[in-house]
Amino acid sequence: MPVPQPSSPLVADFDILINQKLLSVEQDAHVINVTVEQDLHLPSMLTLEITGSVSRATQVTWMDDQLWAIGNQIEIRMGYANDLATVMSGEIMSLEPEFVANRAPSLTIRGYDLRHRLLRDRQTRTFIQQKDSDIAVQIAQAAGLTPQVKDSLVVHDYIVQANQTDLEFLTQRARLIEYDLYVEDKTLFFQPVANANSKIMTLSLEQDLLEFYPRLSPMHQISQVTLQGWNPKDKQTVVGQARIGHEISLMGGEQSGASLVTTTFGEAIALIIDHPIMTQAEADQLAKAKLNQQVLELIVGEGMSRGRTDLQPGKVIELTGLGKRFSGLYYLTAVTHRYKSNRGYYSHFQVRRNAI
């Protein structure tokens, strides 16, 4: 895995593959910026900025090259010298040229991961006696993706996709049960938020970590979640609850957001009655998901490091050198890998943490 070594010269580099074929050296020389924006909640996007030829005879024709055809497969590798790794693959979806008198034209190429295939149309349909993970498998396969799902366990009597795109619908279902939804190459992942996992790296303010801007706030923290629903079969009220102690992990901290707000300000109970709940298993699952979703927003932050291809959303990293309160484990929710010909390779990231 490409990792910068501050003790030795950092020679940032990249490769671009179109339909699994590397660009030529001449084509590569015109690429001045490469950006990959990865996000757990939106289709990841790659952007290439290409300058035109200085030759008046050929400055426009290169834009018509079939390399840049809409729908072509595109893969971006980044790293240092000969140590490169894939950071994103997807399909070309946008061409944005600039034509200005007395200046060579330029072209911005945008591609998206295959989540964009889930935005093609809106549907209204019902899923009967299925789990959210079952639904994710069906939708992935229909879009030509390979599903990699974690069993969501709870069987629902019925779920309605109401005039939504598949991406809107699956994202909504994932958020309800505190799952992540993302695509790598041709695989769709539908898995629990993994902030309880082990760290994949440590970034120190004395080394790779260049900037970090955290915000600690208890404003939206809650000490308990109560969901109320109605079981039409048994004609009984269904109540699900989650409270302090139901956090899936404290991420190495001592006090979760739920505990902090209770100790400092007293009980803060969220009562949810506007979502149809029909079984006890569903009520318990959604209550715990809501609590964990809220506490994971205790600390939010963004930072920048020297470029690292192993910085990926959905992973846990450790940040050190930030004092006792802000040093510790963080969950990556978005990462932008950026190469510029005049600056080199840097990674910008967004993180969350649920305890101090």
Side-chain angles (χ1 to χ4, degrees):
M1 187 67 66
V3 175
Q5 300 294 336
S7 59
S8 62
L10 300 176
V11 183
D13 201 2
F14 65 88
D15 276 342
I16 300 170
L17 291 82
I18 307 293
N19 294 334
Q20 301 182 336
K21 183 178 179 181
L22 279 169
L23 293 187
S24 68
V25 174
E26 180 181 1
Q27 293 163 337
D28 229 26
H30 290 287
V31 180
I32 58 173
N33 291 332
V34 180
T35 302
V36 172
E37 300 176 62
Q38 300 171 303
D39 197 299
L40 289 175
H41 307 297
L42 297 168
S44 296
M45 180 177 73
L46 60 87
T47 305
L48 309 180
E49 294 183 39
I50 304 177
T51 59
S53 169
V54 295
S55 168
R56 299 295 295 179
T58 61
Q59 67 176 0
V60 174
T61 56
W62 62 275
M63 289 192 181
D64 295 323
D65 197 305
Q66 284 305 303
L67 277 174
W68 319 126
I70 296 296
N72 273 359
Q73 295 179 355
I74 182 167
E75 177 183 345
I76 304 296
R77 299 173 182 169
M78 302 179 83
Y80 300 91
N82 296 319
D83 187 16
L84 306 180
T86 298
V87 289
M88 181 181 161
S89 59
E91 295 174 328
I92 294 176
M93 294 299 294
S94 172
L95 304 177
E96 304 167 25
E98 292 186 7
F99 300 100
V100 181
N102 301 318
R103 192 176 78 191
S106 63
L107 178 65
T108 297
I109 298 163
R110 300 189 195 277
Y112 294 89
D113 71 27
L114 298 190
R115 267 180 290 185
H116 79 81
R117 295 185 178 182
L118 305 181
L119 289 168
R120 301 266 63 86
D121 57 7
R122 294 183 175 275
Q123 298 194 51
T124 297
R125 53 183 170 175
T126 302
F127 298 90
I128 306 296
Q129 290 294 312
Q130 294 190 51
K131 295 177 283 190
D132 288 306
S133 50
D134 297 331
I135 296 170
V137 168
Q138 293 178 46
I139 291 177
Q141 291 175 339
L145 302 173
T146 300
Q148 183 72 40
V149 307
K150 179 74 172 180
D151 192 338
S152 57
L153 301 178
V154 177
V155 177
H156 302 280
D157 288 344
Y158 69 89
I159 298 175
V160 178
Q161 179 178 354
N163 192 33
Q164 295 170 293
T165 66
D166 287 340
L167 184 58
E168 289 172 337
F169 175 61
L170 269 188
T171 299
Q172 179 188 66
R173 297 307 307 176
R175 186 170 178 80
L176 279 172
I177 63 174
E178 191 64 350
Y179 265 48
D180 284 331
L181 172 70
Y182 59 96
V183 167
E184 291 181 2
D185 195 15
K186 296 182 180 180
T187 301
L188 181 141
F189 292 83
F190 187 79
Q191 300 179 345
V193 170
N195 61 297
N197 284 0
S198 301
K199 65 182 180 181
I200 62 167
M201 72 177 76
T202 298
L203 298 178
S204 169
L205 197 58
E206 290 78 29
Q207 295 185 4
D208 287 341
L209 183 62
L210 302 177
E211 300 176 7
F212 186 55
Y213 308 96
R215 178 175 182 265
L216 165 63
S217 173
M219 285 297 292
H220 300 291
Q221 293 301 301
I222 51 181
S223 55
Q224 179 178 312
V225 176
T226 299
L227 278 85
Q228 291 185 359
W230 178 257
N231 186 324
K233 294 179 181 178
D234 300 333
K235 294 182 171 53
Q236 291 183 349
T237 300
V238 178
V239 178
Q241 291 186 328
R243 56 179 64 86
I244 297 169
H246 285 147
E247 303 92 342
I248 64 171
S249 167
L250 293 184
M251 303 182 71
E254 299 176 357
Q255 190 175 36
S256 73
S259 177
L260 174 64
V261 74
T262 302
T263 301
T264 307
F265 302 108
E267 290 285 329
I269 301 174
L271 176 62
I272 301 175
I273 60 175
D274 60 350
H275 186 83
I277 307 292
M278 288 181 279
T279 67
Q280 189 63 52
E282 182 180 13
D284 292 340
Q285 181 185 53
L286 297 190
K288 291 177 182 178
K290 181 63 175 178
L291 178 72
N292 279 281
Q293 184 182 101
Q294 291 300 117
V295 297
L296 195 53
E297 296 180 359
L298 176 63
I299 301 178
V300 297
E302 57 184 69
M304 181 177 74
S305 71
R306 292 185 176 89
R308 296 189 57 138
T309 59
D310 49 352
L311 276 170
Q312 298 286 328
K315 307 296 183 182
V316 174
I317 63 172
E318 181 182 31
L319 303 180
T320 63
L322 308 172
K324 182 179 179 181
R325 180 172 285 141
F326 291 103
S327 293
L329 301 179
Y330 287 85
Y331 189 61
L332 288 162
T333 59
V335 179
T336 297
H337 299 278
R338 183 171 286 117
Y339 170 90
K340 290 190 176 183
S341 57
N342 60 349
R343 287 197 62 198
Y345 172 30
Y346 293 91
S347 297
H348 303 254
F349 58 84
Q350 297 177 22
V351 291
R352 295 184 178 185
R353 179 174 165 84
N354 66 1
I356 56 176

